Amino acid sequence: MIALVLLAAVAAAAAQNDPLPRQPAPRREQFRVIYEWNAIDFDWESSQDRLAYLNASKYIPQNVLVSGINYYGENLFLTMPRMLDGVPATLATIPVTPVDTAPKLRPFPSWEQNEKGNCEALQFVQNIEIDKNGIMWILDNGRVGTLTQSPDPKCSPSLVLIDLKSGKNEMERIPFSEDVVNPKTTYLNDIVVDNRDGDYAYITDNSAVDPGIIVFRRSDKTSWKVRDTPSMSSVGEASTFRLNGTTVNLPVNIDGIALGPQFRTEDGRVDRKVYYCPLSSFHLYAINASVLRNESLGQIGDGALRPYVQDLGTKASQTDGMKMDSAGLLFYGLIGNSTIAEWNSAVDFREGQRTIARDINYIQWVDRFTFDNKGNVYVVINRLYNFVKNLVSLNEVNYRILKSHTGSKSYVFGEDLEEVKKQPNTATLPAVTSSLLLLTIAHLLA
């Protein structure tokens, strides 16, 4: 294992005049490397298969980028989007308990279900989510070669569901309609799942021409897209990234997304905050999930969300992936600062941000986060700035997974609240009764 000397997190201050005893804060650990690779290799069915893929340029090691990460059971699930040619599998697993510092990836659900060009198989997976019921939600863009001169939109952009609890790993593919998702321009980037009311998913589409949030309702497999140009578009001053002597211009629209804990509104209803940001922006935005669920706002078009969007404030640098835990603590990267940060969403964003790790050698482009069931958080570091400029060297470590014990668990296991119907105010009933009694007596004496 490779220990990192990183900044430790500072625990939040205890609330004043709290009448109940406080639980001790969970023991925090510094982030450390548990896995690292110069290049990603796979658990091939035979050495002959590996050689055949290499000879046919169906496997080009420097073109395989690790992007997304998620946890279930004894496995970490990793995504490898097919932005370039030579990516033999786009979704795979490794053990959550390290047995090797650079394990080979096992395609998931199988080699066959990762076959490029087969529209029944997975084509381009940027990210996945696993909900509290053990359902894996997979974003399959369908279009491959997004960083090549001729991207191929052969297959429909789809949401793919797998019930991991059953162990059968059967895929249910739900294509998005073209009036919601344009197969030639969409880029399904990240997803959060809301297991209320029959399950909803909120998905960022950082399309260069039509960015927005896609809302999917599982109960009837219906989806719609909502847009807000000011908060979902890249801005020029945040489009340049400088890391370790490399400069890259990436004007990327809405990217990261996170889902907050349930809360009760003033009228007793239950709602949640959805947090998001463009990659090329310094701002963090929020909107209530109830607004996104309003299908009519998708029909109105751009501008319909404007009255409901909250600009929470600015960050010190740009953010790619982010994830919230069940208590409302947001973990996110600050790319230009080589930093992992956190924010307690119960505190004003402009004041509550904290650096929990910084290292210019090991934290080079923070991508996605996940939590296991033992209070650990994991993060993918993938040096994306080198990948997009075709500067990947197989003589250097390009991909790392860091781990820290924080006592956190995923937002999908947050507390479920029930709606409260407002009762009539009974505080004034005695006064009203007394007044009526006095009026009755006065009437009798008149």
Side-chain angles (χ1 to χ4, degrees):
M1 297 298 171
I2 305 172
L4 302 182
V5 181
L6 302 171
L7 292 177
V10 179
Q16 297 295 317
N17 303 319
D18 191 343
L20 299 176
R22 306 283 292 183
Q23 293 295 323
R27 179 176 58 88
R28 285 293 188 106
E29 291 180 350
Q30 296 174 340
F31 279 87
R32 57 193 176 94
V33 177
I34 59 168
Y35 290 125
E36 63 178 19
W37 299 264
N38 289 23
I40 300 301
D41 204 351
F42 295 87
D43 185 6
W44 300 90
E45 294 180 338
S46 69
S47 58
Q48 290 79 11
D49 280 354
R50 184 179 188 276
L51 184 60
Y53 270 68
L54 284 168
N55 290 338
S57 294
K58 293 168 67 177
Y59 172 44
I60 305 173
Q62 61 267 33
N63 287 2
V64 184
L65 172 97
V66 175
S67 176
I69 185 170
N70 221 296
Y71 161 83
Y72 187 82
E74 300 300 320
N75 293 303
L76 292 173
F77 292 84
L78 304 178
T79 67
M80 289 71 59
R82 286 180 165 128
M83 291 185 272
L84 296 172
D85 297 327
V87 181
T90 187
L91 178 61
T93 67
I94 56 174
V96 71
T97 303
V99 294
D100 183 1
T101 56
K104 294 182 178 179
L105 277 59
R106 175 168 294 184
F108 182 84
S110 65
W111 277 106
E112 292 74 20
Q113 288 167 310
N114 276 269
E115 182 185 359
K116 182 180 176 181
N118 176 3
C119 292
E120 297 301 314
L122 300 174
Q123 297 303 299
F124 186 113
V125 179
Q126 180 80 20
N127 274 298
I128 62 173
E129 183 57 285
I130 300 172
D131 70 16
K132 68 178 183 181
N133 301 313
I135 303 297
M136 177 184 284
W137 301 60
I138 305 170
L139 296 180
D140 189 352
N141 276 279
R143 186 174 79 259
V144 299
T146 55
L147 287 181
T148 67
Q149 295 295 321
S150 54
D152 184 1
K154 180 179 296 184
C155 303
S156 298
S158 303
L159 187 60
V160 180
L161 303 179
I162 298 178
D163 184 352
L164 298 178
K165 289 192 302 183
S166 72
K168 297 179 181 180
N169 297 333
E170 297 174 343
M171 299 196 304
E172 178 188 4
R173 180 175 294 277
I174 307 163
F176 289 106
S177 61
E178 292 194 15
D179 61 335
V180 175
V181 177
N182 187 327
K184 295 181 180 179
T185 62
T186 190
Y187 197 108
L188 305 177
N189 188 273
D190 207 352
I191 177 173
V192 289
V193 176
D194 189 349
N195 283 127
R196 298 177 299 144
D197 308 322
D199 300 341
Y200 281 76
Y202 313 120
I203 301 162
T204 56
D205 181 359
N206 65 17
S207 163
V209 298
D210 184 26
I213 294 178
I214 297 164
V215 183
F216 173 81
R217 186 171 57 220
R218 188 183 178 195
S219 59
D220 59 359
K221 297 182 175 58
T222 298
S223 58
W224 57 93
K225 187 173 184 177
V226 292
R227 303 160 176 86
D228 181 63
T229 296
S231 68
M232 298 182 182
S233 301
S234 64
V235 293
E237 60 267 27
S239 296
T240 300
F241 298 79
R242 297 180 179 88
L243 294 93
N244 290 27
T246 299
T247 299
V248 60
N249 188 259
L250 288 173
V252 177
N253 296 320
I254 182 172
D255 186 290
I257 191 168
L259 186 59
Q262 298 178 23
F263 66 91
R264 289 191 183 91
T265 62
E266 291 183 357
D267 60 358
R269 296 182 181 276
V270 176
D271 210 339
R272 307 180 79 164
K273 291 285 185 187
V274 177
Y275 301 91
Y276 64 91
C277 63
L279 173 62
S280 303
S281 172
F282 299 119
H283 289 254
L284 180 68
Y285 300 96
I287 191 168
N288 285 357
S290 58
V291 175
L292 298 180
R293 291 182 179 200
N294 186 345
E295 190 174 348
S296 65
L297 294 180
Q299 299 169 352
I300 295 173
D302 192 15
L305 296 187
R306 187 89 296 259
Y308 309 102
V309 173
Q310 297 173 264
D311 186 343
L312 300 180
T314 59
K315 303 176 271 87
S317 186
Q318 304 97 324
T319 295
D320 193 339
M322 58 186 183
K323 195 154 191 173
M324 189 159 274
D325 75 3
S326 60
L329 191 64
L330 182 70
F331 292 83
Y332 57 102
L334 297 173
I335 294 171
N337 294 8
S338 298
T339 292
I340 299 171
E342 69 177 21
W343 166 58
N344 183 342
S345 58
V347 179
D348 190 294
F349 184 68
R350 291 162 293 187
E351 301 173 358
Q353 302 178 61
R354 301 174 185 270
T355 292
I356 58 175
R358 178 183 289 129
D359 191 291
I360 61 173
N361 295 312
Y362 288 91
I363 303 179
Q364 300 175 349
W365 201 286
V366 176
D367 208 319
R368 295 306 189 269
F369 294 83
T370 195
F371 305 95
D372 66 13
N373 63 351
K374 298 178 181 178
N376 299 303
V377 61
Y378 301 79
V379 58
V380 169
I381 310 294
N382 63 15
R383 305 178 83 189
L384 181 66
Y385 58 97
N386 276 347
F387 186 84
V388 298
K389 295 198 75 172
N390 197 27
L391 296 175
V392 173
S393 170
L394 300 184
N395 297 319
E396 301 174 351
V397 174
N398 293 297
Y399 312 108
R400 290 186 171 96
I401 296 177
L402 311 184
K403 171 185 173 183
S404 171
H405 182 82
T406 62
S408 301
K409 59 183 179 180
S410 172
Y411 73 92
V412 301
F413 298 109
E415 180 184 5
D416 288 325
L417 302 180
E418 294 185 1
E419 293 191 356
V420 177
K421 292 184 178 180
K422 281 198 169 185
Q423 300 296 324
N425 188 355
T426 58
T428 59
L429 286 180
V432 171
T433 302
S434 299
S435 298
L436 290 174
L437 181 59
L438 289 172
L439 287 172
T440 301
I441 294 173
H443 179 73
L444 292 173
L445 295 176

